[in-house]
Amino acid sequence: MSLTRRQVTSAALGAVPLVGRSREENHRTLYIAGDSTAAQKYADAAPETGWGMALPFFLRKDVTVSNQAVNGRSSKSFVDEGRLDAILATIRPHDLLLVQFAHNDEKSDDPTRYTEPWTTYQDYLRRYVEGARAHGARPVLATPVERRRFDADGNAVPTHGDYPAAMRALAAQARVPLLDIEALSLALWQSLGVEATKTYFNWTGTEQDNTHFNPPGAIAVARLVARELPRTRVLARRDVIRLHQDIPTSWITWPPA
């Protein structure tokens, strides 16, 4: 599948070159390559909200978020559709490429998206890592955010099988910063419990969605990501803001479809 002009333009707008050496060095773009849990949502999908929509609220203005995550993509299909190439065509030295996949890699009945954790999943992730480094940018791996699933005793249950472990192993092997969002989100859902977590996921009058977020959930997950960025030294502490402040859900907006 080839990229549309709109998709290529969207990637390009996320990294408009700046004039002057000091601004070039100080201003960075953080690209997100991922799936629907992170992706930009539009008015026809509201109140569904990707965590990438909320991440800019936690970053200073000299770190721009270019959210290239797309619904339904896996580490494989994102590459096969040319979406990684579109990012690499605009990414600059000192920029960041944050990669979060697994939800759709797990779909073994779909050969266009399925990857096996310890082989093809890692192989595709390496392409993001190597592509970013080849352009002087810094790759960052994020384990997949957890779904809302509890057992009969009210314990939050992991749903991603070996994919988080495979990413952790690759990150250690390739010396890539790792944001362990799977572990952090699982702990957050556990602390909130069965009923409270419903207010973080896309539960509406007609839908009970335990994978995608509403504004409070997207803000909560974006906060986990933002906290990990300075902890892993991907960003300096001064680059991250509002970690301990309430973010109004009214800040979330959905542009026209």
Side-chain angles (χ1 to χ4, degrees):
M1 176 178 176
S2 61
L3 288 175
T4 65
R5 180 177 297 178
R6 178 183 176 185
Q7 290 162 344
V8 173
T9 301
S10 175
L13 288 176
V16 176
L18 299 175
V19 178
R21 179 176 174 80
S22 62
R23 292 182 66 193
E24 182 79 19
E25 291 176 343
N26 291 334
H27 186 96
R28 286 158 292 171
T29 298
L30 187 157
Y31 290 85
I32 301 173
D35 55 37
S36 58
T37 60
Q40 172 69 53
K41 310 298 180 179
Y42 297 90
D44 59 349
E48 185 177 324
T49 310
W51 62 256
M53 296 167 62
L55 186 59
F57 304 147
F58 296 100
L59 303 178
R60 293 199 181 278
K61 61 183 178 180
D62 58 354
V63 181
T64 299
V65 174
S66 179
N67 189 356
Q68 300 300 314
V70 182
N71 291 1
R73 271 53 180 189
S74 70
S75 65
K76 177 185 187 309
S77 64
F78 195 94
V79 169
D80 292 347
E81 293 174 3
R83 298 177 186 278
L84 175 59
D85 286 341
I87 292 174
L88 297 180
T90 60
I91 204 167
R92 303 172 304 165
H94 309 296
D95 285 345
L96 306 167
L97 177 56
L98 195 164
V99 182
Q100 184 214 247
F101 289 105
H103 288 78
N104 299 301
D105 289 74
E106 299 164 10
K107 297 183 176 179
S108 58
D109 59 345
D110 185 353
T112 66
R113 294 188 287 182
Y114 177 65
T115 61
E116 193 282 328
W118 298 101
T119 56
T120 47
Y121 179 61
Q122 289 186 327
D123 291 342
Y124 274 98
L125 291 178
R126 285 189 187 93
R127 295 178 68 166
Y128 296 83
V129 170
E130 293 167 1
R133 285 175 169 169
H135 288 78
R138 190 174 189 189
V140 182
L141 296 176
T143 54
V145 61
E146 268 299 349
R147 301 177 175 94
R148 178 185 173 273
R149 185 174 297 175
F150 291 85
D151 64 19
D153 295 321
N155 298 308
V157 177
T159 67
H160 292 299
D162 282 346
Y163 290 88
M167 180 180 279
R168 293 179 191 115
L170 175 64
Q173 180 188 59
R175 297 186 178 182
V176 179
L178 178 78
L179 316 183
D180 202 348
I181 305 306
E182 189 270 340
L184 292 170
S185 59
L186 187 68
L188 177 59
W189 309 149
Q190 179 68 43
S191 68
L192 290 168
V194 175
E195 291 303 315
T197 47
K198 293 178 182 178
T199 65
Y200 285 67
F201 285 80
N202 190 34
W203 276 51
T204 67
T206 58
E207 187 173 14
Q208 296 180 354
D209 182 346
N210 293 310
T211 298
H212 303 101
F213 308 110
N214 61 13
I219 291 168
V221 176
R223 193 187 304 272
L224 296 179
V225 173
R227 285 175 175 166
E228 284 291 276
L229 291 171
R231 189 194 67 79
T232 56
R233 299 185 179 181
V234 172
L235 293 178
R237 179 63 187 85
R238 64 179 177 274
D239 295 322
V240 181
I241 58 177
R242 303 190 184 98
L243 286 182
H244 305 290
Q245 298 178 24
D246 289 337
I247 303 295
T249 57
S250 61
W251 288 10
I252 298 287
T253 58
W254 299 266

